[in-house]
Amino acid sequence: MNHQAALTSYIAAFVAELVKNGVENAVVSPGSRSTPMAMVMAEHPDLNIHIHVDERSAAFFALGLAKASKQPVVLLCTSGTAAANYFPAIVEAFYSRVPLIVLTADRPHELRDVGAPQAIDQIRLYGHHVKWFVEMAPPESSEEMIRYARTVCARAAAAAKRAPSGPVHLNFPFREPLIPLLDQEDLFLSHEREERYVKVQTGEYTLSQDEFAEIAETISKTENGIIICGPLEEEMFAGEVVKLAQKLKFPILADPLSQLRSGNHDGAYIIDTYDTILKNKKALQELKPEVVIRFGAMPVSKPLSIFLKEHAHARQFVIDGGAGWRDQGLVSTDMIYCHETLFCSALLPLLMENKNDTYFSLWRSLNEITRECLQEINQTETLSEGKLFSQLSKMLPEGSLLFVGNSMPIRDLDTFFHFNQKSFKIMANRGANGIDGVVSTALGAASISQPAYLIVGDLTFFHDLNGLIASKLYDINLTVLLINNNGGGIFSFLPQSEHQKNFERLFGTPLDIQFEHSIRMFGGHYDLIEDWNHLSSSLARSLENKGLNVLEITTKRDENVQEHRDLTNAVSREISRFLEGEYR
Amino acid sequence: MNHQAALTSYIAAFVAELVKNGVENAVVSPGSRSTPMAMVMAEHPDLNIHIHVDERSAAFFALGLAKASKQPVVLLCTSGTAAANYFPAIVEAFYSRVPLIVLTADRPHELRDVGAPQAIDQIRLYGHHVKWFVEMAPPESSEEMIRYARTVCARAAAAAKRAPSGPVHLNFPFREPLIPLLDQEDLFLSHEREERYVKVQTGEYTLSQDEFAEIAETISKTENGIIICGPLEEEMFAGEVVKLAQKLKFPILADPLSQLRSGNHDGAYIIDTYDTILKNKKALQELKPEVVIRFGAMPVSKPLSIFLKEHAHARQFVIDGGAGWRDQGLVSTDMIYCHETLFCSALLPLLMENKNDTYFSLWRSLNEITRECLQEINQTETLSEGKLFSQLSKMLPEGSLLFVGNSMPIRDLDTFFHFNQKSFKIMANRGANGIDGVVSTALGAASISQPAYLIVGDLTFFHDLNGLIASKLYDINLTVLLINNNGGGIFSFLPQSEHQKNFERLFGTPLDIQFEHSIRMFGGHYDLIEDWNHLSSSLARSLENKGLNVLEITTKRDENVQEHRDLTNAVSREISRFLEGEYR
């Protein structure tokens, strides 16, 4: 069998198996060395191919597709620095546990490390930031090598999906000629096993009944406990954890990415202002828990981290279905590797009901006071960043996907986005919390879930401007709420802001650009928001406009930091007054 | 001594030593964890700080600074995916042997792999693509640790500079509080050794006199030899290698990046159309060399690579001052690790003069015929890509820096840019030949060398659009000749172009964007070139306009490939006629 025929069979077997293992989307960047894989993929009727010239954006776009679809997404690029451009998104996928199957085309062995063009060392290119690496065998079409291609594919998909999900990397050496033979009718047919080659059942971590019983006994002994839910995306989790809270009378401190701050579950136990409450020193002390049960990744709130450290004496359970070590304060007493929803449902029948809701009531009262005080932000007529986040749940339609930038947006969401019964899907890149690739991740997610909104600052938006091309080329509807405070807003909250000498140069970093031009280039609709009414009408219109809508809201960094400080101080005074008995 | 004082002394010692080791430029991206290093660097009077928000562009900008200044350039970023964004430029720097000192701020050990924000595994983050990696000790200010900071710095600079030059990576764990104490007058003073801590003399590879004599004897025995100069940037090299050619009567096949195609050295021995000549099968056979002496990286010409393989019987010397293995055809007989200029000057007195110039004359005649035929391209009135490259040496002023994009531009330069006595400095990213980061690399180089021109296609320009911000923020003068053929022109030259079904989707990849918008956003001047006169006047005006000038030349991919094929065929017919004796 000749080279091209062997190349074709080997790759077709691999691609067929990809689809059989649940892969629906592939993001492909143009290149020469990857030609055979790209051409074969494009022949598969059940694989959606998305083309993206900039590999950095491509990889984040794939990350967004995988986050929203909860299925592994394939990435394909040519050899050389193309593959290096994937690195930021791969790192993010690794830490945020998103399944990606990264395919890099490579020169064959005889063209490596001899100065051949676009040849770099692609072996373990992403180091420790992928779950599995395979240097693929050169294409052959013996029965054994076809089995090999199919098996590696099934393993790669399983490795990407199995808890904790994450990226895997397969490096394919391809020799010229690179053109596959595509005139076969049964290109993707497996003659040996029609259905699929291997079915991999990846399972979930769980504990024994005895271990659950022991945990239930410990928890049942205490009356003052809290449940903390960090970033987590499990469909059945909200319902189960709320039942746990009800039985235990434990408040649920719910991170904005826990998916618990909105939805039709019981909101009575949801505490959504702990970030503000715990900035009050007295509250931080008095809300002393005996037990903490924590799910999901580390919440965004720094005061919450301090609170957990402050109460290191408490029994702190960390439940992690991905078997990691999510405990930056080093305060956990019990690290439990168990699927989060399984944990809740297994524990529930074993728990004694807590009749004492004193501790919970204190949290609830503080939460109500704080929510009310934070509503003050809505009194302002100016376009304030805080008010914007406070209005989000009202302004955005039921069922929206809301993608949130890092730095200030996620923190403002934490402060101002309170429990509501709309079913929002809230997402952010919280694996490594970068400001890179956010636009592309949001667009990838938006191509799965509609209507979709991105709320993001100017530096983050700038960092991934190229990503906007996807909205143009693939008509993806996304409305961007662009908060332009002309620089890095978060630094105004950090100690360096007191050292003015080089502050604007090193940290403020104003770009002084008119984003409107770029939006026009990518064929988007653009509105410079003038006031709150304008924002409402623009948001309404954005639902009708197809493609990209960018609503730019300009704010001032110094006014923003002042507004936040004034508000936090005002709330803190109320909390102190309450704790000192005035309201009791 | 308290934490902040120790942090300050340790970092200041490091930064002081950087400057003493020849570092003049640092490219800094804003971030929190890198605060102490950024703030201390900004205090140093002899360090130019360039701020760049997008770390990918920042790293390529640093690459350009280092390429043009031939000094190591420092990169600094915060922890997390910021550091991963450096990867493409680091890979390019590694393969193109450009010295970079990459400093990444990291969380301290207790905050690693525990879910802390922006904490990723930064140990050996760039794998095998850096020459040296150091996980720095946490800052301390004992005499020993200050010596350590200074010594590591000197070693890092030496490792980056010593042949082959390349990137090094130092990872700094920083603990809060991150604010240094900057009110000391003698912040950068070394009390122990005022001048510098260690002077590192990095030397160069050379051979013994006997070894040179043996090589000279071998070469002197032959009459039919060629010298090949690939990409190389050594100031004294041109003069020395020309003397070698004169004595040996060997033609010099000079890659456009060899710096030999322009300058005031003797051009009589320079063969600049071998790429076209060797496309003729008869020429490929008849120009049989007995000896090949090759310097520099692999030339861009594919016909030349085929020629070298075709004549694998020849004695093929590869001279590499960086001790690599630049031989993609696996045809070298002698791999010689010796500084290229040293090699020429050591060999010259040992060589016998070659009196027979028959072989050289054949090359020269073919070169003259080919040059003349290629000039035909100037007959066209349309805006042709080929003609553009043919006109470059006339159109651009003496002393220009010309940065060339990969894919088609570098190949067109190879074909159409012929020997001239202007002193152009020609650069490209030929380590890994990526289309990424080209705009930023050109801007980095342009901030050292003026006047500066970038000639680039639309996909490459798009890939690094963000990089343009540097021209705006730092008023860097750069004139971009943007060849917009709306997609990937090179694929039309590859075999997949014969498979139309998915060709435009997978390879042509038209973006259909108006770059003008983006240029306006970055405050640049923009001209859509209408004809050749317009191009001349725009180029003249661009010399007066400060900052960014983009001259967009729209072409058609299908017409371009046809023009190239017609011309190659016409030249080939002339060559065949000549070789068949008509012109002899």
Side-chain angles (χ1 to χ4, degrees):
Chain A
M1 202 188 252
N2 75 21
H3 165 78
Q4 282 171 281
L7 178 75
T8 310
S9 312
Y10 182 84
I11 293 176
F14 182 86
V15 171
E17 207 68 24
L18 273 180
V19 174
K20 287 174 180 175
N21 279 279
V23 173
E24 291 171 3
N25 291 287
V27 183
V28 175
S29 296
S32 168
R33 193 55 49 170
S34 49
T35 294
M37 184 65 85
M39 287 180 76
V40 171
M41 277 184 177
E43 291 295 316
H44 202 298
D46 300 325
L47 197 58
N48 299 317
I49 309 267
H50 313 254
I51 305 288
H52 225 313
V53 166
D54 180 340
E55 294 85 4
R56 180 174 67 173
S57 301
F60 277 108
F61 187 81
L63 180 81
L65 283 170
K67 276 171 97 92
S69 68
K70 296 182 196 297
Q71 285 295 333
V73 170
V74 161
L75 273 165
L76 172 67
C77 71
T78 189
S79 64
T81 49
N85 277 279
Y86 281 170
F87 201 23
I90 286 173
V91 171
E92 172 61 26
F94 183 75
Y95 289 105
S96 58
R97 303 180 175 177
V98 177
L100 294 178
I101 301 173
V102 182
L103 313 180
T104 53
D106 198 355
R107 307 270 141 177
H109 299 71
E110 66 276 17
L111 287 179
R112 294 182 182 174
D113 206 11
V114 290
Q118 286 182 274
I120 72 170
D121 182 0
Q122 296 180 191
I123 305 294
R124 301 196 185 276
L125 186 67
Y126 309 114
H128 296 279
H129 293 101
V130 288
K131 294 181 64 189
W132 198 46
F133 168 78
V134 180
E135 162 70 4
M136 295 294 289
E140 282 183 54
S141 61
S142 64
E143 274 189 26
E144 176 140 23
M145 295 314 284
I146 294 298
R147 277 183 208 133
Y148 164 80
R150 290 191 179 267
T151 309
V152 171
C153 184
R155 291 180 67 184
K161 281 189 282 189
R162 127 181 102 68
S165 297
V168 299
H169 174 206
L170 312 183
N171 190 53
F172 283 83
F174 290 139
R175 203 172 273 151
E176 292 182 25
L178 298 166
I179 308 298
L181 305 176
L182 298 177
D183 44 8
Q184 307 160 49
E185 262 189 31
D186 55 353
L187 192 61
F188 298 107
L189 196 70
S190 167
H191 295 281
E192 209 169 1
R193 300 180 189 176
E194 269 190 42
E195 193 47 45
R196 69 171 124 190
Y197 197 74
V198 205
K199 181 174 173 184
V200 189
Q201 292 180 277
T202 54
E204 295 289 357
Y205 286 102
T206 189
L207 304 186
S208 72
Q209 214 44 33
D210 284 353
E211 288 170 313
F212 280 126
E214 204 188 315
I215 293 167
E217 201 191 326
T218 306
I219 293 175
S220 295
K221 275 188 212 146
T222 59
E223 291 176 339
N224 304 352
I226 58 172
I227 295 170
I228 298 176
C229 295
L232 191 65
E233 285 175 37
E234 270 176 42
E235 231 163 278
M236 311 302 292
F237 178 71
E240 294 301 305
V241 77
V242 165
K243 283 185 215 157
L244 216 62
Q246 288 165 338
K247 194 160 184 185
L248 287 168
K249 306 279 181 306
F250 285 7
I252 300 176
L253 280 57
D255 184 84
L257 297 172
S258 65
Q259 313 306 327
L260 285 161
R261 286 218 196 157
S262 57
N264 51 18
H265 52 272
D266 179 6
Y269 286 83
I270 305 295
I271 304 294
D272 44 21
T273 64
Y274 55 87
D275 180 72
T276 307
I277 295 171
L278 298 173
K279 280 177 185 155
N280 179 294
K281 289 265 166 16
K282 204 169 167 62
L284 188 79
Q285 298 295 334
E286 292 207 5
L287 288 165
K288 185 175 171 168
E290 290 164 62
V291 165
V292 175
I293 308 173
R294 191 153 65 72
F295 302 91
M298 285 304 304
V300 69
S301 169
K302 196 167 182 174
L304 180 60
S305 292
I306 295 168
F307 174 75
L308 291 176
K309 265 185 145 166
E310 187 71 26
H311 301 292
H313 65 87
R315 190 81 183 247
Q316 299 200 15
F317 295 88
V318 174
I319 322 303
D320 189 350
W325 201 278
R326 289 161 153 180
D327 178 24
Q328 66 182 79
L330 309 177
V331 287
S332 66
T333 54
D334 298 76
M335 192 59 80
I336 294 167
Y337 294 163
C338 178
H339 184 270
E340 290 79 1
T341 308
L342 278 183
F343 179 87
C344 294
S345 41
L347 209 64
L348 190 67
L350 306 173
L351 289 168
M352 305 266 286
E353 193 169 345
N354 179 8
K355 303 285 185 192
N356 183 350
D357 68 353
T358 318
Y359 182 71
F360 167 61
S361 297
L362 179 57
W363 270 104
R364 192 165 53 183
S365 302
L366 286 170
N367 199 48
E368 275 163 18
I369 292 166
T370 307
R371 266 197 209 171
E372 211 179 292
C373 287
L374 289 172
Q375 288 305 318
E376 283 298 307
I377 195 120
N378 292 310
Q379 300 302 317
T380 182
E381 284 299 309
T382 56
L383 290 168
S384 114
E385 298 183 22
K387 180 171 174 178
L388 178 63
F389 285 86
S390 185
Q391 297 279 318
L392 279 182
S393 61
K394 270 180 239 160
M395 290 191 303
L396 305 187
E398 169 77 21
S400 295
L401 165 75
L402 175 61
F403 206 101
V404 189
N406 286 314
S407 260
M408 285 311 291
I410 187 70
R411 289 180 172 83
D412 277 334
L413 193 77
D414 197 11
T415 305
F416 294 108
F417 185 82
H418 301 151
F419 183 78
N420 61 81
Q421 297 214 302
K422 280 182 174 174
S423 58
F424 292 124
K425 204 179 292 178
I426 305 183
M427 287 187 185
N429 280 344
R430 294 301 287 177
N433 305 359
I435 65 165
D436 48 338
V438 172
V439 170
S440 295
T441 317
L443 280 164
S447 71
I448 300 284
S449 178
Q450 283 290 326
Y453 297 84
L454 167 65
I455 187 159
V456 78
D458 54 304
L459 291 192
T460 300
F461 191 63
F462 169 75
H463 209 293
D464 191 21
L465 263 187
N466 266 10
L468 293 176
I469 190 90
S471 69
K472 176 177 174 298
L473 295 181
Y474 297 104
D475 299 320
I476 303 168
N477 304 334
L478 178 72
T479 297
V480 180
L481 295 163
L482 168 60
I483 302 168
N484 189 348
N485 54 25
N486 200 20
I490 200 167
F491 295 108
S492 302
F493 290 81
L494 299 180
Q496 51 260 58
S497 62
E498 290 157 32
H499 303 263
Q500 281 301 312
K501 186 175 164 195
N502 288 308
F503 180 77
E504 275 298 291
R505 187 171 156 230
L506 293 177
F507 303 103
T509 60
L511 300 180
D512 295 316
I513 47 177
Q514 304 289 327
F515 286 102
E516 180 175 1
H517 295 293
S518 199
I519 314 308
R520 301 240 181 268
M521 183 172 78
F522 291 116
H525 305 268
Y526 170 86
D527 273 331
L528 179 62
I529 299 303
E530 285 160 19
D531 55 35
W532 294 102
N533 286 335
H534 187 201
L535 178 59
S536 296
S537 61
S538 291
L539 274 171
R541 206 169 42 246
S542 78
L543 270 173
E544 288 150 38
N545 291 339
K546 290 291 157 197
L548 175 70
N549 289 277
V550 176
L551 317 186
E552 181 170 353
I553 298 144
T554 54
T555 63
K556 291 204 162 59
R557 283 181 269 135
D558 51 354
E559 289 175 8
N560 182 50
V561 70
Q562 201 52 54
E563 182 178 66
H564 278 71
R565 286 201 177 129
D566 292 347
L567 195 58
T568 304
N569 291 339
V571 181
S572 200
R573 279 193 299 273
E574 289 301 306
I575 291 172
S576 295
R577 250 180 249 161
F578 174 83
L579 290 174
E580 284 154 14
E582 282 191 35
Y583 289 70
R584 284 203 196 182
Chain B
M1 203 186 252
N2 75 24
H3 165 79
Q4 280 171 284
L7 178 75
T8 311
S9 312
Y10 181 85
I11 294 175
F14 181 87
V15 171
E17 207 68 23
L18 273 179
V19 174
K20 286 172 180 175
N21 279 279
V23 173
E24 291 171 5
N25 291 288
V27 183
V28 175
S29 296
S32 168
R33 193 56 50 171
S34 49
T35 294
M37 184 65 85
M39 287 180 76
V40 170
M41 278 182 175
E43 292 295 315
H44 202 298
D46 301 325
L47 197 59
N48 299 318
I49 309 267
H50 313 255
I51 306 289
H52 226 312
V53 165
D54 181 340
E55 293 86 5
R56 180 173 68 174
S57 301
F60 278 108
F61 187 82
L63 180 80
L65 283 169
K67 274 171 98 92
S69 68
K70 296 184 198 293
Q71 285 295 334
V73 171
V74 161
L75 272 165
L76 172 66
C77 71
T78 188
S79 64
T81 49
N85 277 280
Y86 281 169
F87 201 24
I90 287 173
V91 171
E92 173 60 27
F94 183 75
Y95 289 105
S96 56
R97 303 180 175 177
V98 177
L100 294 178
I101 302 174
V102 182
L103 313 180
T104 52
D106 198 356
R107 308 270 142 175
H109 299 70
E110 65 276 16
L111 288 179
R112 293 180 183 176
D113 205 10
V114 290
Q118 287 182 275
I120 72 171
D121 183 0
Q122 294 180 194
I123 306 293
R124 303 196 184 277
L125 187 67
Y126 310 114
H128 296 279
H129 294 100
V130 289
K131 293 180 65 189
W132 198 45
F133 168 78
V134 180
E135 161 70 4
M136 295 294 288
E140 281 183 54
S141 60
S142 64
E143 275 189 25
E144 176 140 22
M145 293 314 284
I146 295 296
R147 278 182 208 134
Y148 164 80
R150 289 190 181 267
T151 309
V152 171
C153 183
R155 291 181 66 184
K161 279 188 284 190
R162 128 181 101 70
S165 298
V168 298
H169 174 208
L170 312 182
N171 190 53
F172 283 83
F174 289 139
R175 203 172 273 151
E176 292 182 26
L178 298 166
I179 308 298
L181 305 176
L182 299 176
D183 44 8
Q184 307 159 50
E185 263 187 30
D186 56 353
L187 192 60
F188 298 107
L189 195 70
S190 168
H191 296 281
E192 210 168 2
R193 299 179 188 177
E194 269 187 43
E195 193 48 44
R196 69 170 123 189
Y197 198 75
V198 204
K199 180 175 173 182
V200 189
Q201 291 180 279
T202 53
E204 296 288 358
Y205 287 101
T206 190
L207 304 186
S208 72
Q209 215 43 32
D210 284 353
E211 288 170 315
F212 280 125
E214 205 188 317
I215 294 167
E217 202 191 325
T218 306
I219 293 174
S220 295
K221 275 188 215 146
T222 60
E223 294 176 339
N224 305 351
I226 58 172
I227 295 171
I228 298 176
C229 295
L232 191 64
E233 286 176 37
E234 269 176 44
E235 231 163 278
M236 312 302 292
F237 178 71
E240 293 303 305
V241 77
V242 164
K243 282 186 216 156
L244 216 61
Q246 288 164 338
K247 193 159 185 185
L248 288 168
K249 306 280 182 304
F250 285 6
I252 300 177
L253 281 55
D255 184 84
L257 297 172
S258 65
Q259 314 307 326
L260 285 162
R261 285 220 195 155
S262 58
N264 51 18
H265 51 272
D266 179 6
Y269 286 83
I270 305 295
I271 304 294
D272 43 23
T273 63
Y274 54 87
D275 179 72
T276 307
I277 295 171
L278 298 173
K279 280 177 186 154
N280 178 295
K281 289 263 164 19
K282 204 170 168 62
L284 187 79
Q285 298 294 336
E286 293 207 5
L287 288 164
K288 187 174 170 168
E290 290 165 61
V291 164
V292 175
I293 308 175
R294 191 153 65 73
F295 301 91
M298 285 305 302
V300 69
S301 169
K302 196 166 181 175
L304 181 59
S305 293
I306 295 168
F307 174 77
L308 290 176
K309 266 184 142 166
E310 187 70 27
H311 301 290
H313 66 87
R315 189 82 182 246
Q316 298 201 15
F317 294 88
V318 175
I319 322 304
D320 188 350
W325 201 277
R326 289 161 152 180
D327 178 24
Q328 65 182 80
L330 310 175
V331 288
S332 66
T333 54
D334 297 76
M335 191 59 78
I336 295 168
Y337 294 163
C338 178
H339 184 269
E340 289 79 1
T341 309
L342 280 183
F343 179 88
C344 295
S345 41
L347 209 65
L348 190 68
L350 307 173
L351 289 168
M352 306 267 285
E353 193 169 346
N354 179 8
K355 303 282 184 195
N356 182 351
D357 68 354
T358 319
Y359 182 72
F360 167 62
S361 297
L362 178 57
W363 270 104
R364 193 165 53 182
S365 303
L366 286 170
N367 199 48
E368 275 163 17
I369 292 165
T370 307
R371 266 197 211 172
E372 210 178 292
C373 286
L374 289 173
Q375 288 305 318
E376 283 297 308
I377 194 120
N378 292 310
Q379 300 302 317
T380 182
E381 283 300 309
T382 56
L383 289 168
S384 114
E385 299 183 22
K387 180 170 174 179
L388 178 64
F389 285 86
S390 184
Q391 297 280 319
L392 279 181
S393 60
K394 271 180 239 158
M395 292 191 303
L396 305 188
E398 169 77 21
S400 294
L401 165 74
L402 175 60
F403 205 101
V404 189
N406 286 314
S407 257
M408 285 312 292
I410 187 71
R411 289 180 172 82
D412 277 333
L413 193 77
D414 197 12
T415 306
F416 295 107
F417 185 83
H418 301 150
F419 183 78
N420 60 82
Q421 296 214 304
K422 280 183 173 174
S423 59
F424 292 123
K425 203 179 292 176
I426 306 185
M427 287 188 185
N429 280 343
R430 293 303 287 178
N433 305 359
I435 65 164
D436 48 339
V438 172
V439 171
S440 295
T441 316
L443 280 164
S447 71
I448 300 284
S449 179
Q450 281 291 325
Y453 296 84
L454 167 65
I455 187 159
V456 78
D458 54 305
L459 291 192
T460 300
F461 191 63
F462 169 75
H463 209 294
D464 192 21
L465 264 186
N466 266 9
L468 293 176
I469 190 92
S471 69
K472 177 180 173 294
L473 295 181
Y474 296 104
D475 300 320
I476 303 167
N477 304 335
L478 178 72
T479 296
V480 180
L481 294 164
L482 168 60
I483 302 168
N484 189 351
N485 54 24
N486 199 23
I490 198 167
F491 295 108
S492 302
F493 290 80
L494 298 181
Q496 51 260 58
S497 63
E498 290 157 31
H499 303 262
Q500 281 301 313
K501 185 175 163 195
N502 288 307
F503 179 76
E504 275 299 291
R505 187 172 157 228
L506 294 177
F507 303 103
T509 62
L511 300 180
D512 294 315
I513 47 178
Q514 303 290 326
F515 286 103
E516 179 175 3
H517 295 292
S518 198
I519 314 309
R520 300 241 181 269
M521 183 172 78
F522 291 116
H525 304 268
Y526 171 87
D527 273 331
L528 179 64
I529 299 303
E530 285 159 18
D531 55 36
W532 293 102
N533 286 334
H534 186 201
L535 177 59
S536 296
S537 61
S538 291
L539 274 171
R541 205 169 42 246
S542 78
L543 269 174
E544 289 150 37
N545 290 338
K546 290 291 158 197
L548 175 69
N549 289 278
V550 176
L551 316 186
E552 182 170 354
I553 297 144
T554 53
T555 63
K556 292 204 163 58
R557 283 182 269 135
D558 50 353
E559 288 174 9
N560 183 50
V561 70
Q562 200 52 53
E563 183 178 67
H564 279 72
R565 287 201 175 127
D566 291 348
L567 195 58
T568 304
N569 291 338
V571 180
S572 201
R573 280 192 300 272
E574 290 302 306
I575 290 173
S576 294
R577 249 180 250 159
F578 174 84
L579 290 175
E580 285 153 14
E582 283 191 32
Y583 290 69
R584 286 204 194 179

